[in-house]
Amino acid sequence: MNKITNPETLTATALSWVDRETDAMAAPIRPSTSFLRDPEQLDRTGRIFSRDDNPTYLQPEALINQLEGGAGCLLFASGMSAMTAVFHTLNPGDHVILPKNVYSGLRQWLNQHGKRWGLEASFLSSYDSESVSNALLPGRTKLVWMETPSNPTWEVSDIAAISAAAHAAGALVAIDNTVATPILTQPIAHGADVVLHSGSKYLNGHGDLIAGALVVAPGQEELLKAIQGIRNDYGGVLGTFETWLLLRGMRTLSLRVKAASASALKLARFLSTHEKVTLVRYPGLESHAGHDIARRQMQNGFGGMLSFQVKGGEAAAKIVAARTQLIRQAISFGSPDTVIEHRASMEGADSPTPRDLLRVSVGLEHIDDLIADLRQALDGEVENND
Ligand code: PLP
């Protein structure tokens, strides 16, 4: 049989690994911190201690790596610890380029800790190959960071074009693929060098664990080694129970992402027709500025995340969010249940997010129930505070 590459099969089977000791078809958890040493072999050739790595990681790392078409994957204690491991491979004085509306946790980390570490960051308001090319500092820019679709305004960036521009100047390209997941986009195939996941979102998919993962492209094996050293030295390792849960959640990744994407498109179309909605931000809409790139770069749908802006400004948006009944107000995304959030309030004072914007993580409920809930929330009286 030919090598299987379809993500549906890869995730459903989790690569069909079997526990060799018992023939168990579900992976065991191996919590041991220490591994027996051969009395003759006191060098560090084998597995020694669970902070270096743990055998429970092997199957989920292999699965994520195969889904992303990488040369290797490493699990981390959180998306944040995975992200910052990439930045810790850089040196004081290095320059990095990011979108202005990058995940707010990373923006804050760079402004506080990255700056102290000596990294110089340029945050760009538009993110295409031309603006990235113009911001590249030859010899100094070492990393171009991308998020597509980007949270919470869902701009779409052209991975191939931006990667070509970055590579021409000798910079690596890292992509936060948390929102698209490899079911919708495989950034390495478009030229990226590193792929990041917050496993806390779609990969696990059940809203009950924090995890992160990094995948490097073929040819970046040295970088993988450096990142593994950083994981060990900074200690951002994932617990073995969380690792097991992550693999369990990933078995249904493909189904969940496709279902959420189909419902998000229907919800976006409904919201676009509502008189109290001034703008719907969803890459699946033909009116979205990045729709053509999204069609080229994404398959199986446009993701389960969308945002919309409400007539009447911040106060009106907050009232709509408070009025939803089935859809609850909460942070994070990628869980089975739909949540809504007034994002600017969560992002703090330096948030570039429009104040009238509500972000929705579309879950797995019946679409009619989601539309009915948002309709009743929007149809209620909204005070105009503009
Ligand atoms: N990337 C994106 C797009 C996110 O939204 C988040 C968290 O919300 C992260 C990364 C960070 O991941 P974690 O919460 O697992 O540390």
Side-chain angles (χ1 to χ4, degrees):
M1 192 172 164
N2 294 337
K3 186 169 182 259
I4 290 170
T5 54
N6 290 315
E8 294 82 355
T9 311
L10 295 175
T11 52
T13 60
L15 309 179
S16 303
W17 285 23
V18 170
D19 178 29
R20 290 284 162 227
E21 277 174 26
T22 63
D23 286 343
M25 290 174 72
I29 301 176
R30 299 188 188 278
S32 183
T33 53
S34 304
F35 299 86
L36 201 60
R37 270 183 161 173
D38 178 340
E40 308 297 322
Q41 296 260 327
L42 291 179
D43 57 353
R44 297 179 64 88
T45 50
R47 208 177 285 285
I48 294 173
F49 187 52
S50 192
R51 208 177 70 241
D52 298 303
D53 66 306
N54 179 289
T56 319
Y57 296 168
L58 293 174
Q59 188 175 1
E61 285 181 344
L63 176 57
I64 298 169
N65 187 50
Q66 214 158 309
L67 288 168
E68 291 287 6
C73 170
L74 291 167
L75 292 181
F76 282 81
S78 62
M80 274 311 292
S81 64
M83 269 181 184
T84 52
V86 177
F87 288 89
H88 280 127
T89 64
L90 303 175
N91 293 309
D94 287 348
H95 175 245
V96 297
I97 298 175
L98 307 95
K100 190 170 176 194
N101 59 356
V102 71
Y103 166 58
S104 57
L106 180 59
R107 188 173 57 246
Q108 283 154 15
W109 183 86
L110 275 162
N111 285 336
Q112 288 177 29
H113 310 292
K115 213 181 247 176
R116 265 193 305 119
W117 172 257
L119 297 179
E120 190 193 329
S122 297
F123 295 97
L124 311 185
S125 10
S126 80
Y127 222 65
D128 53 33
S129 57
E130 198 185 334
S131 51
V132 169
S133 286
N134 291 339
L136 284 161
L137 304 177
R140 283 199 53 215
T141 307
K142 296 293 161 56
L143 184 68
V144 171
W145 186 272
M146 291 170 67
E147 211 184 293
T148 179
S150 68
N151 179 21
T153 42
W154 317 118
E155 277 93 8
V156 174
S157 300
D158 187 331
I159 302 172
I162 293 176
S163 298
H167 290 158
L172 290 181
V173 174
I175 302 209
D176 184 336
N177 202 29
T178 302
V179 169
T181 82
I183 305 302
L184 308 184
T185 306
Q186 289 147 326
I188 289 173
H190 297 278
D193 303 293
V194 181
V195 175
L196 167 113
H197 283 283
S198 164
S200 326
K201 314 295 189 303
Y202 289 103
L203 292 191
N204 171 56
H206 292 76
D208 52 12
L209 75 83
I210 299 289
L214 286 174
V215 181
V216 302
Q220 295 297 340
E221 289 79 0
E222 283 305 309
L223 180 65
L224 185 73
K225 241 189 254 168
I227 292 173
Q228 185 159 18
I230 287 164
R231 183 178 69 175
N232 181 49
D233 296 344
Y234 284 75
V237 290
L238 190 60
T240 50
F241 178 57
E242 285 76 8
T243 306
W244 181 86
L245 270 181
L246 178 66
L247 181 66
R248 190 178 196 269
M250 280 177 24
R251 305 289 287 258
T252 54
L253 176 68
S254 165
L255 273 179
R256 289 186 283 99
V257 170
K258 287 182 194 172
S261 298
S263 289
L265 182 57
K266 288 183 185 156
L267 205 56
R269 291 207 196 288
F270 158 71
L271 288 166
S272 305
T273 62
H274 200 285
E275 52 160 13
K276 290 194 180 134
V277 173
T278 55
L279 182 66
V280 181
R281 296 171 178 262
Y282 185 65
L285 292 178
E286 293 74 10
S287 56
H288 187 281
H291 182 66
D292 289 343
I293 302 171
R295 286 186 75 86
R296 274 205 312 276
Q297 210 167 256
M298 303 178 84
Q299 68 264 333
N300 294 319
F302 299 93
M305 299 299 298
L306 62 88
S307 296
F308 63 99
Q309 289 169 241
V310 177
K311 211 182 261 179
E314 175 171 357
K318 284 179 168 169
I319 291 170
V320 170
R323 276 213 193 102
T324 55
Q325 293 169 7
L326 169 67
I327 303 172
R328 291 177 291 177
Q329 288 200 70
I331 197 165
S332 202
F333 56 90
S335 292
D337 47 333
T338 300
V339 292
I340 192 163
E341 187 180 33
H342 183 255
R343 194 63 200 162
S345 301
M346 293 308 305
E347 290 183 348
D350 69 340
S351 167
T353 299
R355 307 293 309 182
D356 58 355
L357 179 145
L358 294 173
R359 183 184 85 173
V360 181
S361 167
V362 181
L364 306 177
E365 303 91 336
H366 197 290
I367 182 61
D368 293 351
D369 296 331
L370 296 176
I371 289 176
D373 194 24
L374 277 174
R375 179 181 282 126
Q376 67 77 26
L378 283 160
D379 284 349
E381 277 306 297
V382 173
E383 249 176 71
N384 193 327
N385 284 301
D386 270 353

